[in-house]
């Protein structure tokens, strides 16, 4: 069986270590990657995160020292910051319910569902709720990586940064948000990236998959 176009692109992609600062990702491609993030599934459709698309050289230069000095942050043309809700609240869940009602019409079962959601989420500790929100951002990251690969845009997902510093630079705490992921976008510098010529290494299907029939 031949590989699907998506699998071909996923084999093409890798965590780019050296990006070419002279090449910028076209805005229409960035918009498609952002749309993939927006369309990603999340628990109960809450979409409990926001994304910040940073092209400002000054802001990216401020962020880089707090992200293990990773050059992709400034060598790429765009930096996407995923920032998850710090907590679930009645207002935030009610906003989800209102949008659902506006776009789908009044559905009593839907209202009951989100009332039950509030009864479950609101008593929980803030850290538990933030961790849950952050996991939804990780789902969206996966969609962003796949979309970037399909468009042949290089990307490097990053957890290696000091969230408190990124939150401070972007004023996230005041917005009820906390940074959880960074994703530089750009184009690989083929003569300067030590990882590019190396074979992609993944566990075999047998090592990672158990079929239960």
């Amino acid at each position: 069986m031949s590989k699907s176009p998506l699998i071909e692109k996923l084999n093409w992609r890798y965590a780019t270590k050296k990006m070419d600062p002279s090449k910028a990702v076209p805005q229409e491609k960035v918009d498609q990657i952002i749309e993939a993030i927006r369309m990603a599934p999340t628990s109960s459709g809450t979409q409990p995160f926001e994304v910040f698309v940073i092209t400002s050289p000054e802001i990216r230069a401020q962020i880089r020292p707090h992200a293990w000095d990773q050059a992709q942050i400034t060598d790429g043309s765009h930096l996407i910051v995923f920032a998850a809700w710090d907590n679930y609240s009645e207002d935030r869940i009610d906003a989800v319910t209102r949008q659902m009602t506006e776009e789908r019409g009044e559905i009593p079962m839907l209202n009951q569902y989100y009332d039950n959601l509030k009864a479950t989420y609101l008593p929980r500790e803030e850290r538990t709720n933030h961790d849950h929100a952050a996991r939804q951002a990780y789902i969206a990251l996966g969609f962003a990586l796949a979309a970037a690969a399909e468009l042949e845009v290089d990307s490097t997902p990053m957890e290696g940064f000091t969230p408190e510093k990124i939150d401070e630079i972007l004023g996230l705490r005041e917005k009820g948000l906390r940074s959880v992921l960074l994703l530089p976008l750009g184009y690989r510098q083929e003569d300067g990236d030590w990882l590019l010529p190396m074979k992609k290494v993944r566990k075999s299907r047998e090592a990672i998959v158990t079929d239960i029939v």
Side-chain angles (χ1 to χ4, degrees):
M1 180 185 296
S2 62
K3 292 180 180 177
S4 72
L6 176 58
I7 297 301
E8 293 283 0
K9 295 299 186 182
L10 293 179
N11 274 291
W12 170 86
R13 77 153 300 278
Y14 71 108
T16 309
K17 301 305 181 188
K18 178 62 177 175
M19 292 184 175
D20 187 341
S22 70
K23 295 180 180 179
V25 180
Q27 187 60 44
E28 59 267 24
K29 290 193 174 185
V30 176
D31 290 341
Q32 290 184 69
I33 294 167
I34 296 301
E35 184 66 3
I37 292 171
R38 193 181 71 86
M39 295 299 293
T42 57
S43 178
S44 301
T46 51
Q47 295 182 286
F49 59 86
E50 296 182 23
V51 294
F52 295 79
V53 184
I54 305 170
T55 55
S56 164
E58 293 78 17
I59 298 298
R60 288 185 290 132
Q62 289 180 46
I63 289 173
R64 178 171 167 173
H66 305 294
W68 298 1
D69 197 36
Q70 295 176 87
Q72 304 96 312
I73 291 171
T74 51
D75 287 347
S77 60
H78 296 72
L79 175 64
I80 299 176
V81 178
F82 291 77
W85 289 355
D86 56 4
N87 201 352
Y88 288 100
S89 68
E90 185 169 6
D91 286 345
R92 281 173 158 167
I93 296 175
D94 284 347
V96 174
T97 310
R98 281 196 303 272
Q99 183 183 7
M100 293 286 185
T101 301
E102 289 168 2
E103 300 197 23
R104 293 177 173 174
E106 188 70 38
I107 304 174
M109 185 175 66
L110 189 72
N111 295 329
Q112 183 60 52
Y113 178 87
Y114 284 103
D115 285 343
N116 292 340
L117 198 71
K118 286 189 287 187
T120 301
Y121 285 8
L122 300 188
R124 298 192 309 197
E125 292 184 0
E126 178 178 328
R127 179 173 180 177
T128 299
N129 282 337
H130 168 68
D131 288 348
H132 182 268
R135 288 194 291 272
Q136 312 316 304
Y138 275 83
I139 296 171
L141 171 70
F143 275 60
L145 293 171
E150 183 180 41
L151 296 165
E152 294 194 348
V153 171
D154 286 299
S155 61
T156 310
M158 295 178 176
E159 288 184 305
F161 63 95
T162 306
E164 294 79 8
K165 292 295 185 180
I166 308 307
D167 295 350
E168 180 181 342
I169 292 168
L170 299 179
L172 298 182
R173 293 301 177 107
E174 294 84 348
K175 298 179 174 72
L177 300 167
R178 293 165 60 184
S179 56
V180 292
L181 294 160
L182 306 181
L183 183 65
L185 301 176
Y187 290 107
R188 62 190 67 176
Q189 191 170 81
E190 296 191 359
D191 61 350
D193 193 334
W194 58 267
L195 187 57
L196 176 58
M198 295 189 180
K199 178 183 178 181
K200 182 184 287 288
V201 178
R202 295 292 188 272
K203 291 181 180 179
S204 69
R205 186 188 192 281
E206 292 73 22
I208 203 170
V209 177
T210 298
D211 292 309
I212 302 175
V213 297

